């Protein structure tokens, strides 16, 4: 998504001169908070390298509900689009390279490039599908079934994400995850 967008803009030299400054590349360390729960999202981040997570605090407990990797975009969509406070935090899990785009610049890009608006809508629909699957999985699947599904359908999470975040994502404790893993 990142490269396609930039290449599309570069095709028109006049547009590239106008928009090249809106793509701010940032290198961040692991455990860097990009958006704190309760803040208003003013940026969307495109991941060139690294891994981010979205999480919220429930009675002092860290609950992870989504991971993002290279080529994906991340923002608190509701906050970003409607100027409401974010219900969750966005944090890096590993050192990452991001392209940051401010809200005002993103709105102008969407107006100028309708194809980008379509891609953004697809991103939102994909996010809704992910949330729906997570919701149903929490209702119908056992923790062991959720873990097996994760291994089968999202192995990158197993390879790159620390176990305590995976446990939080699965809705179990790290000890329970360890027991599930040892049964294999």
């Amino acid at each position: 998504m990142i490269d396609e967008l930039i290449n599309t803009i570069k095709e028109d030299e006049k547009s590239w001169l106008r928009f090249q400054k809106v793509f701010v590349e940032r290198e961040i360390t692991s455990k860097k908070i990009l958006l704190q729960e309760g803040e208003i999202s003013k940026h969307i981040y495109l991941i060139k390298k690294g891994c981010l997570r979205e999480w919220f605090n429930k009675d002092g407990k860290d609950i992870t509900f989504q991971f993002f990797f290279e080529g994906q975009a991340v923002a608190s969509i509701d906050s970003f689009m409607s100027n409401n406070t974010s219900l969750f935090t966005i944090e890096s899990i590993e050192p990452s390279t991001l392209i940051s785009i401010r809200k005002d610049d993103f709105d102008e890009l969407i107006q100028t490039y309708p194809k980008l608006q379509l891609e953004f809508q697809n991103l939102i629909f994909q996010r809704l599908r992910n949330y729906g699957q997570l919701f149903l999985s929490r209702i119908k699947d056992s923790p062991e079934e959720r873990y097996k599904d994760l291994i089968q359908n999202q192995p990158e999470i197993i390879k790159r994400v620390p176990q305590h975040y995976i446990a939080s994502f699965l809705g179990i404790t790290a000890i329970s995850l360890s027991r599930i893993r040892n049964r294999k």
Side-chain angles (χ1 to χ4, degrees), residues 86-103:
S86 178
L87 300 175
F88 52 83
T89 297
I90 299 173
E91 178 183 24
S92 61
I93 291 178
E94 56 190 38
S96 301
T97 303
L98 311 172
I99 303 280
S100 173
I101 305 172
R102 290 179 332 117
K103 169 77 166 111

Side-chain angles (χ1 to χ4, degrees), residues 25-36:
E25 187 166 317
R26 300 175 58 185
E27 296 207 11
I28 59 172
T29 60
S30 61
K31 298 194 178 270
K32 171 75 174 165
I33 302 288
L34 296 169
L35 176 67
Q36 185 72 48

Side-chain angles (χ1 to χ4, degrees), residues 1-6 8 44 46 71 73 77 106 110 113-127 129:
M1 179 178 163
I2 303 165
D3 294 332
E4 286 178 33
L5 170 62
I6 291 173
T8 299
I44 189 166
L46 309 173
I77 299 296
F106 187 79
I110 283 179
Y113 295 96
K115 181 182 175 190
L116 176 59
Q117 183 164 1
L118 180 62
E119 287 185 34
F120 188 61
Q121 286 172 338
N122 289 337
L123 168 77
I124 292 169
F125 289 134
Q126 179 61 46
R127 188 83 69 80
R129 279 192 298 273

